[in-house]
Amino acid sequence: MRSVNQVILIGNLTRDAQVRQTPQGISYITWGMATNRTVVTKSGQVNQIAEFHECASFKPWIVRLAEKGALRKGKYIYVQGHLKTRSWDDESGKRFYRTE
């Protein structure tokens, strides 16, 4: 059976995109974004619930956008991609996980 790992997010950047480089010299960007979900309670009250996401891209054209300053905090963006979970150990040996 096939599986699907696809994500579509539409929301606002929570900080400016940051251009970074891998140890091999490959440029990539990271950014945070927020999406909102509307929930109506039984009493009819409408609440907005924010979710925060960490994102990264190795696509050269997106890296160029960040380098030009086009991906600034507050910008409304559409993102389509996939989830990837990575892990690392800190100095004390404690393991950390992050899904981006």
Side-chain angles (χ1 to χ4, degrees), residues 32-46:
M33 68 182 292
T35 57
N36 295 311
R37 187 166 52 105
T38 303
V39 176
V40 180
T41 64
K42 289 181 181 180
S43 63
Q45 182 179 355
V46 179

Side-chain angles (χ1 to χ4, degrees), residues 13-89:
L13 294 177
T14 58
R15 65 178 185 275
D16 293 352
Q18 297 176 326
V19 179
R20 300 172 183 234
Q21 284 197 337
T22 65
Q24 296 78 23
I26 299 169
S27 294
Y28 69 101
I29 64 168
T30 61
W31 71 93
M33 68 182 292
T35 57
N36 295 311
R37 187 166 52 105
T38 303
V39 176
V40 180
T41 64
K42 289 181 181 180
S43 63
Q45 182 179 355
V46 179
N47 294 329
Q48 291 284 332
I49 299 173
E51 289 288 335
F52 298 93
H53 314 277
E54 292 297 320
C55 303
S57 178
F58 286 85
K59 300 277 185 192
W61 67 272
I62 298 175
V63 172
R64 283 193 299 275
L65 280 177
E67 290 171 338
K68 292 178 181 179
L71 300 176
R72 297 289 220 193
K73 180 179 178 179
K75 184 90 171 177
Y76 190 67
I77 65 169
Y78 169 97
V79 175
Q80 183 175 346
H82 63 273
L83 294 176
K84 182 174 182 174
T85 302
R86 59 187 178 93
S87 63
W88 67 95
D89 297 328

